[in-house]
């Protein structure tokens, strides 16, 4: 592996357009460097930094994209309120020696007349796909665009958004996009809450209750070692979350780790997935069994 373009910990190269991005990458390619992309919506935290660390092990040059993708937000969702602390984000990227940041404007990504949507069927039919109509089309469209804009050797996604990870693997395979997709485990706060850019919007009392999501996933997953009646365990999990103070549970389900079909058998590789609301904020999490 060659030394980083950013070996000194100075600010990453900043690309504000696809043209800038391609110029930077073309130069790296000339130097024979391999390139990895870490797509994010910014408001960077330790979860994002974990993806960066994995990518830096895999490739010579790492780019982090920061783009709050309007197409993946529903009409009632928090697009306008989504945090955009760009200076802090760039400082964090400098501190871990990321080589470049790609920070495009929405008008450049979706100019007037933009008409293409990438839609992955099957995997999007349930869980967050069912509860957030259009969300995964927005994700699939932006990720396809970012991969074609950067043409990286590798890209990485977090298991925090496990359904998204599988959808991206599917579209990369279906569309023959020549990129290696890596994943990284969920980074958590010390009390177990999965780190998320949206956690900052939890009130102090909701923040204290929020770790119950992971605790419940863990405790029900533990019970599933001996009890294979997954549907009744799921009902118990939902009850436990409501008792803990969550006001609504979108889903709490054992599903196959590859197809995401509802888990039926004890010999299947599975994960337990949950999405639940606390103080009007929707949290998601999952654990492997
Ligand atoms: P986001 O900025 O929320 O769109 O997330 C960008 C990438 O970071 C996605 O691949 C997420 O799955 C991943 N990610 C977000 N939170 C975490 C976390 N707590 N642990 C690991 N990866 C995460």
């Amino acid at each position: 592996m060659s030394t980083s373009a950013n070996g000194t910990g100075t600010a990453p190269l900043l690309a504000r357009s696809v043209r800038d991005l391609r110029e930077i990458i073309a130069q790296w390619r000339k130097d024979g460097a391999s390139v990895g992309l870490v797509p994010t919506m910014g408001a960077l935290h330790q979860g994002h930094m974990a993806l960066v660390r994995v990518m830096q092990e895999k490739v010579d040059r790492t780019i982090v994209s920061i783009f709050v993708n309007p197409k993946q937000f529903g009409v009632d969702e928090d697009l306008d309120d989504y945090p955009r602390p760009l200076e802090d984000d760039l400082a964090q990227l400098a501190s871990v020696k990321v080589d470049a940041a790609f920070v495009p404007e929405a008008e450049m990504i979706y100019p007037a007349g933009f008409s293409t949507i990438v839609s992955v069927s099957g995997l999007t039919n349930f869980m967050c796909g069912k509860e957030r109509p259009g969300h995964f089309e927005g994700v699939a469209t932006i990720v396809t665009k970012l991969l074609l804009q950067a043409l990286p050797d590798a890209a990485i996604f977090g298991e925090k958004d496990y359904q998204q990870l599988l959808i991206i693997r599917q579209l990369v395979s279906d569309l023959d996009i020549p990129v290696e997709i890596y994943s990284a485990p969920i980074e958590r706060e010390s009390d177990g809450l999965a780190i998320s850019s949206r956690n900052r919007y939890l009130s102090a009392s909701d923040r204290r209750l929020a770790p119950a999501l992971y605790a419940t996933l863990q405790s029900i997953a533990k019970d599933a070692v001996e009890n294979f009646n997954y549907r009744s365990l799921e009902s118990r999990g939902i009850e436990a979350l409501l008792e803990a103070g969550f006001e609504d549970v979108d889903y709490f389900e054992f599903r196959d780790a590859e197809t995401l079909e509802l888990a039926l058998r004890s010999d299947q590789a599975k994960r337990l997935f949950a999405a639940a609301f606390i103080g009007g904020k929707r949290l998601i999490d999952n654990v492997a069994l």
Side-chain angles (χ1 to χ4, degrees), residues 39-41 45 47-48 51 157-158 160-161 164 185-187 195:
T40 81
M41 297 207 301
H45 52 61
H48 299 116
L51 303 185
F157 299 86
K160 162 96 183 347
D161 302 279
Q164 164 176 288
I186 302 176
E187 291 286 313
I195 301 176

Side-chain angles (χ1 to χ4, degrees), residues 11-17 40-45 49 64-68 82-95 100-106 197 200-201:
L13 297 170
L14 182 58
R16 303 294 315 219
S17 67
T40 81
M41 297 207 301
L44 300 178
H45 52 61
M49 292 303 127
V64 172
S65 63
I66 297 177
F67 180 63
V68 182
Y82 199 85
R84 291 166 170 86
L86 183 58
E87 268 184 37
D88 280 8
D89 286 350
L90 293 176
Q92 278 196 67
L93 296 182
S95 74
F102 177 42
V103 189
E105 296 291 342
S197 307
R200 65 184 75 187
Y201 295 130

Side-chain angles (χ1 to χ4, degrees), residues 17-282:
S17 67
V18 177
R19 195 173 152 173
D20 292 352
L21 176 75
R22 287 188 169 147
E23 266 175 26
I24 291 168
I25 294 171
Q27 186 57 51
W28 291 344
R29 295 284 186 203
K30 247 195 237 163
D31 300 340
S34 58
V35 176
L37 175 69
V38 184
T40 81
M41 297 207 301
L44 300 178
H45 52 61
Q46 285 313 308
H48 299 116
M49 292 303 127
L51 303 185
V52 167
R53 276 196 303 278
V54 174
M55 189 50 83
Q56 286 175 325
E57 292 287 309
K58 306 281 182 196
V59 297
D60 301 315
R61 302 282 184 268
T62 298
I63 307 168
V64 172
S65 63
I66 297 177
F67 180 63
V68 182
N69 174 34
K71 286 207 188 294
Q72 71 187 70
F73 286 77
V75 277
D76 299 330
E77 293 182 0
D78 56 350
L79 174 62
D80 291 339
D81 296 334
Y82 199 85
R84 291 166 170 86
L86 183 58
E87 268 184 37
D88 280 8
D89 286 350
L90 293 176
Q92 278 196 67
L93 296 182
S95 74
V96 296
K97 302 184 178 165
V98 161
D99 301 289
F102 177 42
V103 189
E105 296 291 342
E107 300 77 52
M108 183 174 296
I109 296 291
Y110 301 119
F114 185 90
S115 311
T116 301
I117 285 292
V118 180
S119 178
V120 176
S121 60
L123 286 170
T124 50
N125 289 346
F126 31 71
M127 290 164 53
C128 292
K130 188 160 153 244
E131 305 297 337
R132 302 181 69 189
H135 170 68
F136 284 126
E137 280 82 1
V139 169
T141 302
I142 190 62
V143 171
T144 303
K145 279 182 68 88
L146 289 168
L147 292 177
L148 295 177
Q149 287 165 346
L151 291 173
D153 299 288
I156 186 162
F157 299 86
E159 289 179 356
K160 162 96 183 347
D161 302 279
Y162 193 88
Q163 188 173 16
Q164 164 176 288
L165 167 67
L166 293 193
I167 289 166
I168 289 162
R169 285 193 193 284
Q170 183 74 47
L171 82 84
V172 160
S173 160
D174 288 350
L175 300 180
D176 303 305
I177 303 179
V179 62
E180 182 88 29
I181 300 295
Y182 293 105
S183 63
I186 302 176
E187 291 286 313
R188 300 182 178 280
E189 304 287 0
S190 53
D191 58 11
L193 178 65
I195 301 176
S196 162
S197 307
R198 290 182 166 110
N199 289 349
R200 65 184 75 187
Y201 295 130
L202 294 171
S203 69
S205 60
D206 292 338
R207 175 64 190 78
R208 278 194 296 277
L209 296 177
L213 183 59
Y214 179 52
T216 306
L217 283 167
Q218 274 186 311
S219 114
I220 299 282
K222 200 162 142 241
D223 291 348
V225 175
E226 291 184 345
N227 178 350
F228 307 141
N229 190 342
Y230 300 123
R231 303 296 88 80
S232 91
L233 289 172
E234 289 164 356
S235 305
R236 264 179 37 208
I238 292 171
E239 267 168 44
L241 287 177
L242 296 174
E243 260 168 45
F246 282 80
E247 61 258 16
D248 197 11
V249 180
D250 265 354
Y251 57 80
F252 189 95
E253 293 169 338
F254 288 91
R255 287 187 174 267
D256 186 283
E258 279 179 20
T259 64
L260 292 186
E261 294 296 332
L262 276 176
L264 300 170
R265 305 187 325 271
S266 57
D267 61 347
Q268 247 175 322
K270 12 178 197 316
R271 296 181 84 97
L272 179 55
F273 296 92
F277 284 89
I278 191 154
K281 306 286 182 285
R282 187 173 184 276

